């Protein structure tokens, strides 16, 4: 078993996965450097979500390898992968997955509380991100009383408040209106760069992919090439219009 390159915080080789016999990943390899924002693009059904879920340890690849910080993820059992997701990874889904009994700030603070972070510190971190994402007024409200866009912002705050080493974002702006998408994605990418968070972002939107440092494309579960993202000046020029 060959160890990954030292400068890749997340690395996968020759991943294969099939859903009920239908191939979703066919020999996909990828490396992501520390602090890099990688966009995984491709049409719907191309394998983007499956790739992110294998990299995050949510799915065990049927063959192939996944490494995090030079330690194998693919050989971990279910409990080991769950611990890794809790302590080192963050996840933003296409739709917000909030606990209905908890308030907005409690949902945002939940990963920190599960790690044993003191209540006051967890609440402070959660409130900081809720305010930065313009949903501070939702802190005491439960999900049932919120709009879909507000719930998604809380889910994003939850992922960022936990200060993950790697953040996986699966079409994170899908429930948001266009103006909301611009603000939220700028906040997410700015936070990732300032906190040196490695990001794997699945999207089929070219404008969103342009915010990343690098892009890879999947078609029918296969990697078909990589496209360098614009430099910092270029990213500023092509940021999402509102």
């Amino acid at each position: 078993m060959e160890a990954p390159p030292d400068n890749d915080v997340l690395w996968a080789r020759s991943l294969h996965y099939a859903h009920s016999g239908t191939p979703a990943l066919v020999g996909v390899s990828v490396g992501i450097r520390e602090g890099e924002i990688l966009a995984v693009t491709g049409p719907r059904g191309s394998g983007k979500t499956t790739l992110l879920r294998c990299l995050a340890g949510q799915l065990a690849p049927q063959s192939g390898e996944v490494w995090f910080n030079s330690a194998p993820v693919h050989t971990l059992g279910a409990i080991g992968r769950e611990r890794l997701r809790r302590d080192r990874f963050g996840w933003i889904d296409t739709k917000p997955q909030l606990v209905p009994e908890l308030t907005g700030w409690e949902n945002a603070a939940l990963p920190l509380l599960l790690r044993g972070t003191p209540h006051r510190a967890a609440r402070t971190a959660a409130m900081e991100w809720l305010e930065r994402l313009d949903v501070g007024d939702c802190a005491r409200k439960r999900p049932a009383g919120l709009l879909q866009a507000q719930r998604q912002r809380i889910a994003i705050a939850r992922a960022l408040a936990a200060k993950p080493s790697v953040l996986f974002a699966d079409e994170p702006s899908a429930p948001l209106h266009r103006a909301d998408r611009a603000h939220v994605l700028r906040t997410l990418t700015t936070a990732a760069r300032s906190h040196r968070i490695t990001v794997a972002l699945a999207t089929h939107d070219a404008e969103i992919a342009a915010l990343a440092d690098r892009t890879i494309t999947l078609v029918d579960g296969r990697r078909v090439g990589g496209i360098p993202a614009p430099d910092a000046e270029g990213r500023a020029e092509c940021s999402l219009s509102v």
Side-chain angles (χ1 to χ4, degrees):
M1 192 163 53
E2 179 185 349
D6 290 338
N7 61 342
D8 283 347
V9 66
L10 197 65
W11 185 78
R13 177 170 59 189
S14 194
L15 296 182
H16 288 77
Y17 195 89
H19 296 286
S20 302
T22 301
L25 295 176
V26 184
V28 174
S29 298
V30 64
I32 312 176
R33 295 182 296 274
E34 182 180 4
E36 181 180 31
I37 300 176
L38 176 73
V40 182
T41 66
R44 297 187 188 279
S46 61
K48 302 187 300 295
T49 297
T50 303
L51 175 59
L52 261 61
R53 293 184 68 192
C54 284
L55 294 175
Q58 294 183 16
L59 292 176
Q62 290 158 349
S63 66
E65 303 173 16
V66 178
W67 296 71
F68 169 66
N69 282 344
S70 300
V73 177
H74 56 284
T75 59
L76 291 176
I79 294 176
R81 287 186 282 116
E82 181 179 350
R83 185 178 299 115
L84 182 64
R85 294 195 301 271
R86 182 194 67 196
D87 295 341
R88 305 301 299 276
F89 292 165
W91 182 274
I92 304 171
D93 215 332
T94 305
K95 296 180 180 179
Q97 304 292 332
L98 302 181
V99 180
E101 296 83 7
L102 300 182
T103 64
W105 83 259
E106 289 168 337
N107 268 287
L110 186 58
L112 291 171
L113 295 170
L114 291 174
R115 291 180 193 171
T117 302
H119 186 276
R120 180 176 294 181
R123 187 179 190 279
T124 298
M127 287 302 304
E128 175 187 346
W129 284 107
L130 292 175
E131 293 290 349
R132 289 180 67 172
L133 290 160
D134 291 341
V135 282
D137 58 344
C138 300
R140 296 185 177 277
K141 299 178 181 178
R142 288 181 170 79
L146 301 174
L147 300 173
Q148 177 85 337
Q150 293 171 320
R151 293 196 293 268
Q152 184 69 350
R153 287 174 183 246
I154 292 172
I156 294 170
R158 177 180 61 193
L160 291 169
K163 296 182 179 178
S165 297
V166 182
L167 176 61
F168 300 91
D170 184 15
E171 301 280 5
S173 62
L176 305 175
H177 295 299
R178 187 172 182 81
D180 290 331
R181 288 204 305 268
H183 170 67
V184 167
L185 287 167
R186 280 196 293 266
T187 301
L188 193 158
T189 54
T190 299
R193 297 186 198 286
S194 63
H195 291 78
R196 296 290 293 168
I197 299 172
T198 303
V199 178
L201 168 68
T203 182
H204 65 277
D205 188 323
E207 287 185 303
I208 295 173
L211 298 174
D213 299 309
R214 186 164 54 95
T215 299
I216 66 169
T217 302
L218 299 182
V219 175
D220 294 334
R222 292 177 168 84
R223 182 173 171 178
V224 297
I227 304 172
D231 58 20
E233 182 178 352
R235 278 197 301 272
E237 292 174 352
C238 66
S239 59
L240 297 178
S241 57
V242 295

